[in-house]
Amino acid sequence: MIFDANGGAGGAEAHGAVELPALARRVRALRPSCGRVRLVGVDGHAGSGKSTLAARLSAALGGAPVIHLDDLASHATFFGWQDRLTDDVLRPLAAGGPARYRVYDWERRAFTRTAVVPPAPVVIVEGVGAGRRALRPWLALLVWLAVPEATAHGQGRRRDGPALDAFWDQWTAAERRHFTEDPSKPFADILIVPRDGGYRACA
């Protein structure tokens, strides 16, 4: 489903501004997908702006909790967080209770604290792989941030600086393997691209 300029559902060729308040209203109207929670996935290439979009959508939703998949991943396994996400987040939320999970510190290279997420009406999961095969059945909506890989990774490298070039080389290879084996974009409900300080729908 693609949202048109007025926040309504359009066809695959629909284009126009995506107003986040209108998208928030659509999200609230969705059927719960994880217990009483409407779980929204925000996926895309690293560096594409997923965290920014998730934060802005959260604000439009009145402060919906955001789960960052970077907090569940680690240097040891970029994409091996599925079991932890399922056991520590999805199942507790589906049962009507809070999610509790350990948060990874990328500088200390250790899980250093515990995050608690309440079973709010809407919870956002953002990060590379938020639309992976095993997670999609739990989602009420999947958003793909349609920034090309080269553009997204270039933005990420500039943000992190040359000291992390080796990390980005490792990440790029791992991300490509992940999306080759388990793509998210073909299953997204809405594809949007950052444009002029806002977002636009794309086919």
Side-chain angles (χ1 to χ4, degrees):
M1 176 170 54
I2 303 296
F3 290 90
D4 64 22
N6 298 312
E13 298 302 321
H15 294 268
V18 176
E19 302 294 340
L20 293 184
L23 178 56
R25 289 193 296 271
R26 290 279 173 174
V27 169
R28 291 191 188 99
L30 294 172
R31 181 176 300 175
S33 58
C34 182
R36 296 181 179 179
V37 174
R38 296 154 184 84
L39 199 66
V40 175
V42 178
D43 205 341
H45 296 291
S48 60
K50 298 179 300 301
S51 296
T52 299
L53 172 58
R56 294 178 67 179
L57 180 57
S58 169
L61 287 161
V66 179
I67 296 169
H68 303 282
L69 292 177
D70 282 352
D71 290 344
L72 290 136
S74 70
H75 283 90
T77 173
F78 292 153
F79 292 99
W81 41 258
Q82 180 59 49
D83 288 345
R84 292 184 59 234
L85 180 70
T86 300
D87 295 340
D88 298 343
V89 176
L90 302 180
R91 287 176 179 159
L93 291 179
R100 292 182 175 86
Y101 58 94
R102 298 288 288 168
V103 174
Y104 189 70
D105 186 317
W106 287 86
E107 293 184 0
R108 298 182 180 180
R109 293 177 175 254
F111 290 92
T112 57
R113 64 182 179 88
T114 298
V116 179
V117 176
V122 179
V123 173
I124 300 169
V125 178
E126 74 84 17
V128 179
R132 70 191 307 175
R133 186 181 302 111
L135 182 51
R136 286 197 295 273
W138 301 87
L139 297 177
L141 185 78
L142 174 58
V143 179
W144 175 265
L145 199 52
V147 177
E149 179 194 277
T151 302
H153 289 180
Q155 292 173 167
R157 285 177 181 268
R158 287 191 295 274
R159 176 194 64 202
D160 294 342
L164 291 181
D165 277 350
F167 171 83
W168 269 96
D169 290 343
Q170 295 174 348
W171 173 269
T172 298
E175 184 186 282
R176 286 174 179 167
R177 286 194 301 270
H178 170 74
F179 281 137
T180 296
E181 298 169 0
D182 194 354
S184 299
K185 182 179 178 181
F187 302 95
D189 299 291
I190 174 172
L191 280 66
I192 63 176
V193 62
R195 188 69 52 82
D196 301 325
Y199 297 95
R200 296 184 68 83
C202 59

